[in-house]
Amino acid sequence: MNPKGILVVDGTPEMLCLLAILTADCQLVRTAASGRQAMEAIATQTPELILMDVRLPDMSGFELCRWIQQSAPARSIPVIFLTSFCDSDEREKGLSLGAVDFLTRPYQPHKVLARVKTYLEQSRLRQRMETQEVAREAEIEETNHLLQSVEIEKEGAIRELENLQAQLLRSQKLECIGNLVGGIAHDFNNFITVSLMNSEMGMSLVEPGSELWQCFSEIFESAKISANLTKQLLTFARKGPVEPMVLDINQTIEEMIKMMRRLMGKRIRLDWKPGQNLGTIHLDPSQIEQVVANLCINARDAIEEQGNITIQTLDLHLDEVATRRYVASMPGEYVGICVTDTGCGMSGEILERMFEPFFTTKEAGKGTGLGLST
């Protein structure tokens, strides 16, 4: 037995006969004596079938049928009109308003039950189909969602593959660049050796401290820096020996400061703030010199007019959280070098590329790279 049942809307004495027929067949029946009562009953619980008198005390059955068709929850309820006499015009009007049949008085029990059961079964079948349709639409939506998720994962896998291919291509390019750089650096080192020998010989032939001696000294110092640069290039190309040693980082940078101030020029103020009681490090000094020099030169070029560059050293303790910011680092004690400036800074796009060997922000012919790949 379906709990929604049948609604009988009839204010005539014949309603008792109809109720007796339906209840004898164990049908769940509710009643309403007027159109307003029927509306309230439908709003309270939507029935499966409505048996409705054509003539009601407060309105016609046709008006109530029109209201049912305009009400979203009740629109699909089958309506059977009850009447003592039904001409063709009245039947046509009722069917046009959505009614499915007419029952005429006096009622014949077997005909009433046959029609009621037929329309109830149709109503229940339609409800089952609507429920299945809703479930099917939910399954289709879930399937579409899963397909979208798979497509997103597929796109992510494709992007990851493209990134890996790009990394492989960059690695191959760097290998070619390293071979080229190594060959050039070996030849360049021979020319630097000549400059070092001749400048040192010139210094030995003139009076120390004289103007000419100062010139030879500048040449000698510049050649030493160039030799370190060449050594760094060979290290980058994996073709030069790295000679790490125990260093006092403050002393290493202190020896560079005078030369760095000359490189910065008069418009840039270079401040040196050595940390106190720093630990020692194990590193090739030319690598430190190259990194600091590149950072300062880039900072100088980023300052349009006057500005400041500060080099600072400090002890650092990196825990597990901090080491996530640095590649191939482990928790422990470190010595840090901090170079800050008052220049224009770097955009996010430049930050992503700043470690590429020949990437530069300078105009053509004014630089071969930021030098941070070292």
Side-chain angles (χ1 to χ4, degrees), residues 300-352:
R300 178 198 65 187
D301 294 342
I303 299 173
E304 294 184 359
E305 297 179 359
Q306 294 185 343
N308 295 342
I309 298 175
T310 302
I311 304 174
Q312 182 180 5
T313 55
L314 65 162
D315 276 326
L316 293 174
H317 173 76
L318 300 185
D319 56 19
E320 291 185 359
V321 176
T323 54
R324 295 172 190 166
R325 299 176 53 195
Y326 306 101
V327 178
S329 62
M330 298 177 62
E333 305 301 322
Y334 291 82
V335 174
I337 303 174
C338 181
V339 179
T340 58
D341 64 81
T342 56
C344 61
M346 291 185 181
S347 66
E349 181 182 355
I350 294 175
L351 284 173
E352 290 181 359

Side-chain angles (χ1 to χ4, degrees), residues 142-200:
E142 184 178 359
T143 302
N144 289 336
H145 180 70
L146 290 174
L147 289 174
Q148 290 175 358
S149 300
V150 170
E151 188 65 24
I152 292 172
E153 292 179 0
K154 177 182 175 182
E155 292 176 358
I158 291 174
R159 285 195 297 270
E160 184 176 356
L161 178 60
E162 289 174 348
N163 289 335
L164 290 174
Q165 290 174 337
Q167 291 177 13
L168 177 60
L169 182 60
R170 285 196 295 269
S171 177
Q172 291 172 340
K173 286 182 178 179
L174 286 176
E175 185 177 358
C176 293
I177 291 170
N179 292 331
L180 176 63
V181 167
I184 294 174
H186 274 301
D187 293 337
F188 189 54
N189 198 47
N190 293 331
F191 298 116
I192 293 173
T193 302
V194 174
S195 298
L196 283 169
M197 292 177 61
N198 281 281
S199 59
E200 190 172 15

Side-chain angles (χ1 to χ4, degrees), residues 60 62-63 65-66 81 88-99 102:
S60 73
F62 297 134
E63 290 178 297
C65 188
R66 184 180 292 109
F81 276 118
S88 59
D89 291 339
E90 194 173 62
R91 175 178 289 273
E92 183 178 349
K93 183 177 181 180
L95 294 176
S96 67
L97 291 173
F102 281 79

Side-chain angles (χ1 to χ4, degrees), residues 177-226:
I177 291 170
N179 292 331
L180 176 63
V181 167
I184 294 174
H186 274 301
D187 293 337
F188 189 54
N189 198 47
N190 293 331
F191 298 116
I192 293 173
T193 302
V194 174
S195 298
L196 283 169
M197 292 177 61
N198 281 281
S199 59
E200 190 172 15
M201 185 180 298
M203 290 170 62
S204 66
L205 296 176
V206 299
E207 182 179 353
S210 65
E211 184 176 351
L212 187 56
W213 187 91
Q214 290 288 348
C215 291
F216 281 125
S217 177
E218 291 287 343
I219 296 172
F220 183 78
E221 292 298 327
S222 296
K224 280 176 59 179
I225 295 173
S226 298

